Amino acid sequence: MDPKHLAAWLRLRYPTGLPGEQEELAATLEAKGLSPGEALEAAQILEEQGYAYFLPGEKSRWVFTEKPLNLKALMRALDQEYREFVGEGDEEEEALAFLTAHLEGDRATAQEVLEALRSAGYVRKVHSPELNRDRLIFRFPEALRLFG
């Protein structure tokens, strides 16, 4: 089965991600009609090619993107660079602009990533008195340790 088409099916079926631990993806693929061996192999291929990511933590889930990307590098950039990027504008737009810049101008994938991170509990809105406005913060301690 083509990983791109499989990822697109998963993304449509689970737009906010597939809740559950790592075994959940293989079980979902089995329910789609793949044999247990094929489901496990397809899950591994999706992960290796950058279409599926397991985000551990309080709201563990699988997230899927239309295009393959290096989520590990993106989360590290958010964790290390995003605070310096935040300016005077709308927090949602700032986050999308930052993600889009790191995804080589692909705003649609940036939106997918932002929604997936929000659904997994890695993005939250806070008020910043020093900036006198609301802003988004990204926190990935569990995921970055996993990718270590």
Side-chain angles (χ1 to χ4, degrees):
M1 181 163 278
D2 179 30
K4 184 174 183 168
H5 288 98
L6 193 53
W9 177 81
L10 288 162
R11 217 174 28 78
L12 287 173
R13 184 140 187 211
Y14 304 99
T16 61
L18 174 65
E21 296 295 325
Q22 293 183 322
E23 298 79 26
E24 195 65 34
L25 178 57
T28 300
L29 295 173
E30 278 184 54
K32 184 175 174 18
L34 299 176
S35 71
E38 290 172 328
L40 186 57
E41 184 180 346
Q44 289 170 344
I45 289 171
L46 286 169
E47 233 182 327
E48 288 168 3
Q49 291 190 10
Y51 289 103
Y53 304 89
F54 179 69
L55 296 176
E58 193 174 299
K59 299 178 182 178
S60 296
R61 68 184 54 242
W62 282 93
V63 295
F64 311 101
T65 57
E66 181 179 346
K67 296 180 180 176
L69 58 95
N70 185 342
L71 191 60
K72 174 184 169 182
L74 187 59
M75 288 194 305
R76 287 200 191 284
L78 283 164
D79 198 47
Q80 296 167 3
E81 302 169 27
Y82 181 71
R83 286 182 288 277
E84 287 78 34
F85 180 84
V86 172
E88 299 285 325
D90 176 314
E91 71 274 357
E92 180 91 12
E93 279 305 310
E94 286 176 343
L96 282 172
F98 183 87
L99 290 167
T100 300
H102 279 272
L103 296 173
E104 300 172 353
D106 188 347
R107 188 172 170 90
T109 302
Q111 183 69 48
E112 288 176 16
V113 169
L114 182 59
E115 288 305 315
L117 293 174
R118 181 180 284 128
S119 297
Y122 290 113
V123 179
R124 65 183 171 101
K125 193 175 192 176
V126 297
H127 182 71
S128 176
E130 68 274 6
L131 295 175
N132 196 26
R133 69 183 190 93
D134 293 338
R135 63 186 281 195
L136 295 179
I137 63 167
F138 294 85
R139 303 201 50 164
F140 308 112
E142 302 94 348
L144 291 175
R145 277 195 295 277
L146 177 74
F147 287 133

